[in-house]
Amino acid sequence: MSVLSNRIKTELFSWTSLAFTLALLEGGVAGVLIKNGFEGQVSDWLLNLCVAIATGAPYYSNLISFIWVKISHGRNKAKLVSNLAILVCFATVGISQVSFTSKGLLSLIVLLVFARICWSGILTIRSPIWRDNYPRHIRGKVTAKLATMASLLMSLAAIGAGWLLDWHFSSFTWIYSGFALLSLTGAWRYRYLSVRHHQKRVSDEKLSGKSASFLELISTLRQNRPFAKYMLSMFVLGSGNLMFMAPLIVFLNEHTSLNKTSQILITTAIPLSLIPVAVNWWAKLLDGNHVFRFRAIHSWGFFSALLLFNIAQFSGIEWLFFIGACCYGIAISGGVIGWNLGHNDFVGKARPMDYMAIHVTLTGIRGLLAPLIGIVFYQWLSNQTENASQYALLLPLMITGLGGILFVIFDRQRLKGKL
């Protein structure tokens, strides 16, 4: 077996193993656990706010990504990723032991945020590993293969968690602890991944004596205008995407007859299960085009999904939520490819991890703000009239549409040589 095949085999084993734990940390699953497990322990307003925190945790934890760049400077990155993944598993075991009290809710939120902070480090540090190990012309295909297997297992894990929660809610203890222990094998194995030019990269980093600071990362945006426009468009598009999940989870719980399994299917399991359906097509689109062209097409998948969710809320037709979830899953499959690889089209001879750190940090900012804005808007509407909350997803719909328009404009500028 070739060295490249061995690397891909190690990646597959690690990320598919970790998929079981990651599924339980997804906002759709964690939000359902919080909304149903802690009802009556705190006020409805605070409970909904915690749902927003849970859905935003995968993103605002990225705010410290530039710190991960510093920590990884001159170190073995595969081992560092492995250590962080082990911490994610331990935090998940901790979540399994919380009690359904106000203090238990606080403990759950702290552990969830900690796990997501560690995961943000994994995403940041993994970027140069993938860039070194996989050439540009196959990078999208490799990422698609990894995303396919991981998403399928995450979907199955989420469905299993939903079914068990409907059957016996207290079984969450065994779900979280069992899945975390299963994921530990993948976390440990990743430390043995071989990385091309690893010793040279580590030696060069140690000789350079410095890593990029936060101010240096920000200066990159001023110096690289196309990348800055890409980040602006991503910020707008991503804000809309991150704004809708918390109000959707709360709406499904408060205003529909859907059980926990159905809620998790709509918010997590169906979108994840559909990633393999379109991910290879999205990978081919990115491998053959600049990321601006890719996003100018891909963005409208998110807009379509949000449009369907809005129609479902307005009409009260519950099966439309499942159709919206399918559309969202197809859009997410492209997001997996573009989010991990899109910044590479702007890097040139610079360090890819610096660009990924900027991308991840800005994702953290919108992850901190957007879910909170979404749930505050939902709560404000709920206080107006009885059925006003059904209009809560109009705001993220408009913001997502604006993001898609920006990508179309900047792609046209690029084609005309004005970017």
Side-chain angles (χ1 to χ4, degrees):
M1 186 178 293
S2 68
V3 174
L4 180 59
S5 297
N6 275 324
R7 289 177 181 137
I8 296 174
K9 185 177 180 181
T10 300
E11 298 267 15
L12 275 173
F13 181 83
S14 294
W15 303 121
T16 52
S17 298
L18 285 162
F20 289 95
T21 290
L22 194 58
L24 302 180
L25 302 177
E26 284 292 301
V29 177
V32 168
L33 176 64
I34 291 169
K35 187 66 179 173
N36 290 273
F38 296 92
E39 189 173 8
Q41 299 300 318
V42 296
S43 67
D44 289 343
W45 164 247
L46 182 58
L47 192 62
N48 291 344
L49 185 63
C50 287
V51 172
I53 293 172
T55 58
Y59 309 101
Y60 62 72
S61 57
N62 294 323
L63 277 169
I64 65 167
S65 63
F66 66 95
I67 296 177
W68 292 119
V69 175
K70 282 181 167 293
I71 291 174
S72 67
H73 188 73
R75 298 180 63 181
N76 185 311
K77 292 173 178 53
K79 287 185 178 179
L80 188 53
V81 166
S82 174
N83 291 336
L84 289 172
I86 290 171
L87 288 176
V88 170
C89 295
F90 286 158
T92 306
V93 172
I95 291 174
S96 73
Q97 302 304 309
V98 302
S99 58
F100 290 122
T101 63
S102 56
K103 291 182 178 179
L105 178 58
L106 176 61
S107 298
L108 188 153
I109 293 298
V110 169
L111 287 167
L112 180 63
V113 171
F114 174 76
R116 281 301 184 173
I117 287 173
C118 292
W119 195 261
S120 75
I122 290 171
L123 295 178
T124 302
I125 300 166
R126 189 178 64 180
S127 176
I129 294 177
W130 284 7
R131 184 179 174 88
D132 287 342
N133 275 353
Y134 312 115
R136 172 69 173 85
H137 68 283
I138 67 165
R139 203 175 292 144
K141 294 178 182 178
V142 172
T143 304
K145 187 175 183 179
L146 297 175
T148 295
M149 294 302 298
S151 62
L152 281 175
L153 288 175
M154 285 178 68
S155 176
L156 291 174
I159 293 171
W163 181 81
L164 288 170
L165 289 174
D166 270 323
W167 171 67
H168 193 52
F169 196 79
S170 61
S171 65
F172 93 97
T173 297
W174 303 107
I175 300 170
Y176 273 74
S177 58
F179 282 8
L181 293 174
L182 180 61
S183 296
L184 272 174
T185 56
W188 182 259
R189 181 166 177 176
Y190 200 77
R191 68 199 308 105
Y192 299 108
L193 175 74
S194 65
V195 181
R196 291 175 64 229
H197 313 305
H198 167 69
Q199 291 301 328
K200 184 179 185 301
R201 177 182 286 276
V202 171
S203 298
D204 289 346
E205 287 178 352
K206 288 180 177 178
L207 287 172
S208 69
K210 70 170 188 175
S211 61
S213 66
F214 179 72
L215 292 178
E216 288 172 335
L217 295 180
I218 295 302
S219 70
T220 301
L221 293 174
R222 294 197 299 267
Q223 297 168 8
N224 192 330
R225 301 304 295 174
F227 182 62
K229 290 184 176 182
Y230 176 65
M231 288 291 92
L232 171 63
S233 305
M234 280 301 305
F235 194 90
V236 176
L237 178 72
S239 293
N241 290 337
L242 298 183
M243 191 177 293
F244 85 90
M245 185 56 72
L248 177 62
I249 291 171
V250 175
F251 184 89
L252 292 174
N253 183 269
E254 294 182 348
H255 297 284
T256 71
S257 59
L258 297 168
N259 60 20
K260 300 177 189 67
T261 303
S262 295
Q263 293 173 38
I264 290 176
L265 277 168
I266 292 167
T267 59
T268 302
I270 289 176
L272 289 175
S273 67
L274 286 175
I275 287 178
V277 173
V279 71
N280 288 317
W281 185 84
W282 290 120
K284 290 178 182 177
L285 182 66
L286 181 59
D287 283 343
N289 292 280
H290 192 278
V291 71
F292 268 127
R293 169 52 56 88
F294 174 85
R295 288 292 189 181
I297 298 170
H298 168 254
S299 301
W300 301 105
F302 285 122
F303 182 84
S304 300
L306 271 167
L307 182 61
L308 285 167
F309 284 139
N310 271 277
I311 295 173
Q313 287 189 336
F314 300 155
S315 64
I317 303 174
E318 293 183 350
W319 59 263
L320 279 176
F321 286 112
F322 294 91
I323 304 300
C326 292
C327 188
Y328 183 57
I330 292 173
I332 283 289
S333 66
V336 170
I337 299 296
W339 197 88
N340 282 291
L341 302 178
H343 63 283
N344 286 308
D345 283 348
F346 304 93
V347 171
K349 295 182 179 180
R351 297 200 321 159
M353 192 159 60
D354 292 348
Y355 278 70
M356 186 60 174
I358 294 171
H359 191 180
V360 171
T361 300
L362 291 176
T363 301
I365 294 173
R366 62 179 179 262
L368 178 65
L369 300 176
L372 296 178
I373 293 172
I375 205 67
V376 167
F377 185 55
Y378 175 91
Q379 205 71 35
W380 178 78
L381 288 174
S382 297
N383 293 335
Q384 304 307 305
T385 60
E386 184 178 354
N387 297 318
S389 59
Q390 66 183 346
Y391 301 106
L393 297 190
L394 280 175
L395 179 60
L397 175 70
M398 291 186 291
I399 294 174
T400 299
L402 177 59
I405 291 171
L406 285 175
F407 275 118
V408 171
I409 291 172
F410 291 145
D411 183 52
R412 290 178 178 176
Q413 288 182 1
R414 179 188 64 86
L415 292 173
K416 294 179 181 178
K418 297 180 179 180
L419 192 63

